[in-house]
Amino acid sequence: MSAARYGRETERTYARAGFGAPVRRGARPAIVVVDLTRGFTEDGFPSGADLADVVGATGELIEAGRPAGVPVVFTAIAYTPAEAAGDAVTWLHKAQGMRALIEGSAEVAVDPRLPRAPWDHLIVKKGASAFFGTSLSALLTGLGCDTVLVCGATTSGCVRATAVDAVQSGFSVLVPRACVGDRAPGPHEANLFDIQAKYGDVIDLKDALAYLGGLPVSAP
């Protein structure tokens, strides 16, 4: 917790309740890039915002993990035309702007500014959490991962949901602050506060880069 960021009384209240302890950092992390697709990272799309800084910071994090062979998993929300136009996906009654996220459209393409490699993984999802209804937990387990660095958009939606499900699936959670973004600062800060208090560590990019840089270099 940061007294300067959230206030001393808030910090004391949560400390007294026993929240905010640091997570265990494992030896085999993965980077999960949540929905940094064009529909979220470009403000020209209905569901998007200008997340150029988040994309840049996430790219830096990915590159820092390459020497150690840190697995990278991208996620994208994509609906069939029938799902986008119909009533089958209850979430779309609430989040109408996401009906534009149709399979094969520009909106669901991973942001081309990210350093995506052919061996990186892609999870296509229908809901907020990257874990719900997907093979992500099994994939991370198969890769031998014990820690997840969660990046992406939006902090108050899919990032938070993914962080919650990650820790509930047995993975330590780290959220580099510079690598997540939202449409507005209020929801962004509120959800970073909750993640730090209850689900993972919200850390500086410098800290995240040092963590990845301290891992053993993998064989080429």
Side-chain angles (χ1 to χ4, degrees), residues 39-92:
F40 289 104
T41 62
E42 299 179 20
D43 57 10
F45 294 108
S47 56
D50 181 4
L51 297 182
D53 290 346
V54 171
V55 171
T58 300
E60 188 176 354
L61 189 77
I62 291 170
E63 296 288 16
R66 295 295 192 200
V70 173
V72 180
V73 183
F74 292 91
T75 79
I77 298 176
Y79 299 108
T80 65
E83 289 169 335
D87 295 329
V89 182
T90 303
W91 191 22
L92 296 181

Side-chain angles (χ1 to χ4, degrees), residues 4-162:
R5 189 178 297 274
Y6 300 115
R8 294 190 181 281
E9 184 57 34
T10 297
E11 184 182 73
R12 284 195 293 267
T13 298
Y14 274 75
R16 186 169 61 248
F19 291 111
V23 304
R24 296 173 296 177
R25 298 188 183 189
R28 182 60 173 163
I31 298 171
V32 176
V33 183
V34 180
D35 300 348
L36 286 186
T37 53
R38 293 183 62 198
F40 289 104
T41 62
E42 299 179 20
D43 57 10
F45 294 108
S47 56
D50 181 4
L51 297 182
D53 290 346
V54 171
V55 171
T58 300
E60 188 176 354
L61 189 77
I62 291 170
E63 296 288 16
R66 295 295 192 200
V70 173
V72 180
V73 183
F74 292 91
T75 79
I77 298 176
Y79 299 108
T80 65
E83 289 169 335
D87 295 329
V89 182
T90 303
W91 191 22
L92 296 181
H93 289 275
K94 186 69 175 179
Q96 293 281 332
M98 291 173 54
R99 291 185 182 273
L101 302 176
I102 298 173
E103 292 177 348
S105 68
E107 285 93 330
V108 304
V110 173
D111 192 301
R113 295 169 291 185
L114 290 164
R116 186 180 176 193
W119 54 85
D120 292 333
H121 302 272
L122 176 67
I123 296 286
V124 177
K125 62 192 182 75
K126 309 292 183 178
S129 170
F131 288 87
F132 183 80
T134 77
S135 61
L136 180 57
S137 185
L139 173 63
L140 294 173
T141 299
L143 291 168
C145 297
D146 51 23
T147 303
V148 177
L149 291 101
V150 181
C151 308
T154 60
T155 315
S156 60
C158 298
V159 168
R160 179 194 170 116
T162 298

